[in-house]
């Protein structure tokens, strides 16, 4: 008797709806899911216009039009979630535009989606942000925090993923940091004293795909449903930008610290003009650590994450060694 015929077939891979599937995080999650053999449906505001933003292995994936700001009732999510097993929400807005408000996109739509997932027995993986435990006045951060609270109370099979700062091709903030790292002078808020644990967006996409494919959890411990993710290094923003700079030049960057009140004023100007990724929410985040207390990225990857940037030059140098600071 052929023993191979007695083996049960491998479990079917889940069908995953990736909301924001053409965005910075979403497109990497889509690529990782397809590489793992998962059927993927891409949710996007403009599904007919995203070919140039998708990875090569995703151009044939089916798409659904999703306007988060308009899906504020559970019944409105039924068409979008039809025929899927897992919903991966990678949608986030840096700034508000018209009906696309922080409250609608980050919180109210997610609350309605969670109820639909509860009713249909779907897994919901929600990409949030680190640093929400600190007091914040930013509506961006408050909407993220309120969404997490709504998920915990939803009764759905929810999972919250909180990455630190992301590096990778195609990201608005990552592109700006890479550009700023080449400048001869770096201007930072004097109160930007928090550390970050930057990670590669491709590894985040892989971690999200692995989480989507995991068997259903056998426990309901809320702590096990929350994943703080970061890279291997926890350093200040100036040191991080210096590490990116060392990929291009051995010359150290000069850093000018400006008073926090001026930085805050500048963040409001950037929000008003929609100029640069710097925002009031980011100014608040930079004042505290943006690192995982317990980094679960190695758990989801099955290996250690790779470091970002180049290490300091010379033996025995600390993370701040190559950074020249002008007071």
């Amino acid at each position: 008797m052929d023993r191979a015929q007695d083996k049960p077939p491998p479990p079917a891979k889940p069908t995953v709806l990736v909301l924001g599937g053409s965005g910075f995080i979403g497109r990497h999650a889509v690529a990782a899911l397809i590489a793992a053999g998962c059927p993927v449906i891409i949710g996007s505001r403009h599904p007919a216009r995203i070919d140039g933003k998708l990875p090569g292995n995703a151009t044939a994936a089916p798409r659904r039009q999703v306007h988060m700001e308009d899906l504020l009732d559970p019944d409105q999510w039924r068409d979008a979630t039809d025929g899927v097993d897992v919903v991966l929400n990678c949608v986030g807005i840096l700034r508000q535009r018209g009906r696309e408000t922080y409250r609608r996109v980050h919180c109210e739509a997610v609350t309605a989606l969670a109820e639909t997932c509860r009713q249909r027995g779907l897994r919901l993986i929600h990409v949030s942000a680190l640093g929400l435990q600190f007091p914040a006045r930013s509506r961006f951060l408050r909407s993220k925090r309120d969404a997490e609270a709504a998920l915990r109370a939803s009764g759905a099979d929810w999972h919250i993923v909180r990455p630190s700062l992301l590096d990778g091709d195609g990201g608005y903030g990552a592109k700006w940091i890479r550009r700023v790292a080449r400048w001869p002078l770096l201007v930072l808020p004097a109160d930007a004293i928090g550390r970050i644990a930057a990670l590669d967006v491709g590894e985040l996409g892989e971690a999200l795909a692995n989480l989507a494919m995991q068997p259903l959890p056998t426990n309901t411990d809320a702590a096990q449903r929350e994943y703080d993710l970061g890279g291997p290094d926890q350093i200040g923003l100036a040191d991080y930008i210096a590490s990116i700079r060392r990929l291009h030049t051995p010359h150290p960057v000069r850093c000018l610290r400006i008073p926090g009140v001026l930085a805050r004023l500048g963040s409001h100007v950037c929000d008003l003009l929609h100029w640069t990724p710097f925002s009031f929410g980011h100014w608040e985040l930079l004042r505290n650590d943006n690192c995982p207390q317990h980094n679960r990225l190695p758990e989801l990857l099955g290996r250690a994450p790779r470091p970002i940037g180049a290490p300091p030059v010379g033996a025995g140098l600390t993370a701040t060694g190559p950074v020249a600071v002008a007071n």
Side-chain angles (χ1 to χ4, degrees):
M1 182 180 294
D2 187 354
R3 291 185 177 274
Q5 295 179 354
D6 297 334
K7 294 182 178 179
K13 298 290 179 67
T15 298
V16 184
L17 169 65
V18 182
L19 301 174
S22 64
F24 184 40
I25 296 174
R27 76 185 73 149
H28 289 88
V30 165
L33 285 163
I34 292 177
C38 272
V40 173
I41 300 172
I42 298 173
S44 172
R45 289 181 53 80
H46 304 290
R49 305 180 192 173
I50 61 176
D51 283 346
K53 299 180 179 180
L54 295 176
N57 63 351
T59 53
R63 308 169 194 183
R64 292 178 182 172
Q65 188 172 54
V66 176
H67 291 260
M68 296 282 287
E69 71 276 12
D70 294 329
L71 302 178
L72 309 183
D73 184 271
D75 288 340
Q76 295 175 307
W77 278 102
R78 291 200 165 270
D79 289 343
T81 58
D82 191 39
V84 307
D85 304 297
V86 179
V87 180
L88 171 56
N89 180 30
C90 301
V91 174
I93 57 172
L94 176 61
R95 294 188 172 100
Q96 303 180 109
R97 295 177 184 271
R99 290 172 57 83
E100 289 183 78
T101 65
Y102 297 135
R103 191 74 197 170
R104 283 174 168 265
V105 174
H106 290 166
C107 185
E108 294 179 12
V110 173
T111 302
L113 174 60
E115 175 58 18
T116 300
C117 290
R118 185 195 67 80
Q119 294 174 3
R120 292 191 157 187
L122 309 180
R123 172 174 296 183
L124 173 56
I125 301 171
H126 175 71
V127 179
S128 185
L130 284 173
L132 302 184
Q133 74 274 24
F134 300 109
R137 298 181 64 183
S138 162
R139 286 177 290 175
F140 171 85
L141 297 179
R142 295 205 309 268
S143 65
K144 292 276 191 179
R145 185 168 55 204
D146 291 346
E148 290 194 7
L151 286 176
R152 295 188 192 98
S154 68
D157 177 18
W158 58 268
H159 301 261
I160 297 173
V161 177
R162 305 185 193 94
S164 186
L165 184 70
L166 294 171
D167 179 68
D169 293 333
Y172 183 41
K175 184 184 299 185
W176 261 92
I177 286 180
R178 292 181 180 189
R179 181 183 303 167
V180 168
R182 295 171 181 263
W183 294 351
L185 179 66
L186 175 63
V187 180
L188 287 180
D191 53 357
I193 59 175
R195 298 171 301 158
I196 58 174
L199 65 151
D200 178 74
V201 69
E203 292 194 327
L204 173 59
E206 184 181 345
L208 291 170
N210 290 341
L211 180 56
M213 294 185 292
Q214 280 184 358
L216 290 174
T218 57
N219 63 71
T220 57
D221 182 5
Q224 294 302 311
R225 295 175 177 269
E226 304 188 20
Y227 298 79
D228 289 359
L229 308 183
D233 301 319
Q234 298 188 2
I235 56 179
L237 181 62
D239 300 333
Y240 172 66
I241 295 177
S243 74
I244 300 296
R245 180 181 177 84
R246 286 192 294 271
L247 295 174
H248 309 287
T249 175
H251 301 295
V253 63
R254 292 183 60 81
C255 182
L256 175 66
R257 300 280 184 173
I258 63 172
V261 64
L262 291 182
R264 177 176 176 174
L265 178 61
S267 73
H268 289 303
V269 172
C270 289
D271 280 335
L272 180 64
L273 300 179
H274 290 207
W275 183 68
T276 85
F278 187 51
S279 67
F280 178 51
H282 287 111
W283 174 77
E284 289 199 302
L285 285 174
L286 289 172
R287 302 172 74 196
N288 299 287
D289 284 348
N290 199 252
C291 303
Q293 292 186 349
H294 171 54
N295 190 4
R296 300 186 69 182
L297 184 56
E299 171 189 336
L300 290 178
L301 291 178
R303 65 177 189 277
R306 73 175 186 86
I308 304 298
V313 179
L317 282 178
T318 65
T320 58
V323 182
V325 179
N327 292 318

